Amino acid sequence: MPELRNPARLMIKNGGFEGMAFELSSAETLIGRNPTTDITLLDEGISREHAIVLYDPESDSYSLEDLQSTNGTQVNGKRVRSVTLADGDEVQVGRTLFRFSRDAEQV
């Protein structure tokens, strides 16, 4: 896989893990309740494999896809199936709220 030019991060904004950050350094980052996911959340309101963040090296962009979860995924308060993420977007998975960050200073 080609090296990411500017890896992004998801930072938890609420709850007991507030401030915890996950670097999105792979082409695919799986979010869910299953211990085998890349970002594992202890939240009964989310699916084992709830959503995935995909990196597109050609456009140097990230997108988020809901994996047909029961309770859905929200970006900036709106339920989504698939969306391109922008710096500052708020992503909600179950009760966990993340902030997507694409700051060029963070590598």
Side-chain angles (χ1 to χ4, degrees), residues 1-106:
M1 184 192 130
E3 187 174 320
L4 301 183
R5 288 181 260 171
N6 180 19
R9 298 185 322 161
L10 283 176
M11 181 177 290
I12 296 178
K13 292 188 57 178
N14 65 344
F17 294 101
E18 184 174 358
M20 182 178 244
F22 301 91
E23 188 169 282
L24 304 174
S25 56
S26 299
E28 298 181 351
T29 303
L30 189 59
I31 302 169
R33 193 166 34 97
N34 194 329
T36 62
T37 58
D38 301 303
I39 299 175
T40 304
L41 302 172
L42 305 174
D43 183 341
E44 291 298 318
I46 69 169
S47 300
R48 286 181 199 82
E49 293 185 351
H50 193 97
I52 192 165
V53 179
L54 302 168
Y55 175 69
D56 178 11
E58 287 188 21
S59 63
D60 190 34
S61 65
Y62 289 86
S63 60
L64 175 81
E65 291 186 15
D66 182 81
L67 298 175
Q68 300 178 350
S69 64
T70 302
N71 294 322
T73 303
Q74 294 185 13
V75 174
N76 300 325
K78 183 178 177 184
R79 190 168 176 157
V80 297
R81 299 271 290 160
S82 180
V83 66
T84 299
L85 294 170
D87 187 50
D89 279 350
E90 291 192 344
V91 176
Q92 183 153 4
V93 177
R95 291 186 297 267
T96 303
L97 184 64
F98 294 96
R99 180 180 184 278
F100 177 77
S101 176
R102 193 74 198 264
D103 187 341
E105 298 299 312
Q106 300 170 4

